[in-house]
Amino acid sequence: MHARHRARWRLTYGSGQAAPFQAHNRVAEGIVLAASDLEALDFALAEFAPPPHVRPYIAAPMAGAADGGVV
C-alpha cells in the first residue's frame, strides 16, 4: 500500500486513536485521511480525487505592443 500511494501521501500510525492509520497529502498540507484499518485507508486513498493543481503560465504579449501600436 505504501508503494502505491507514497507519491501523493505520507502515511503515519497513531496508536491509541479511533482511526490510527493516517495519510497526509504531500501537496495540500491540510488534507488528512484517517481510518481504523489499512484496507479502509487504501480504499479511501484510491478513490480520493486530488485537489486541482494550478499551473502558472507566462502571460501572452498584448497585440500591437511589439510594433509600437496603441493597446
Side-chain angles (χ1 to χ4, degrees):
M1 183 178 111
H2 171 54
R4 206 171 26 255
H5 301 293
R6 70 179 172 203
R8 292 187 179 159
W9 300 95
R10 181 176 50 86
L11 304 175
T12 61
Y13 178 80
S15 62
Q17 298 179 4
F21 299 99
Q22 299 177 0
H24 305 263
N25 191 284
R26 292 185 186 274
V27 177
E29 294 182 19
I31 298 176
V32 178
L33 299 180
S36 58
D37 62 66
L38 285 175
E39 291 81 20
L41 184 59
D42 187 31
F43 177 79
L45 294 176
E47 296 296 317
F48 186 82
H53 179 70
V54 177
R55 296 181 182 177
Y57 291 97
I58 298 174
M62 298 175 65
D67 60 4
V70 177
V71 179

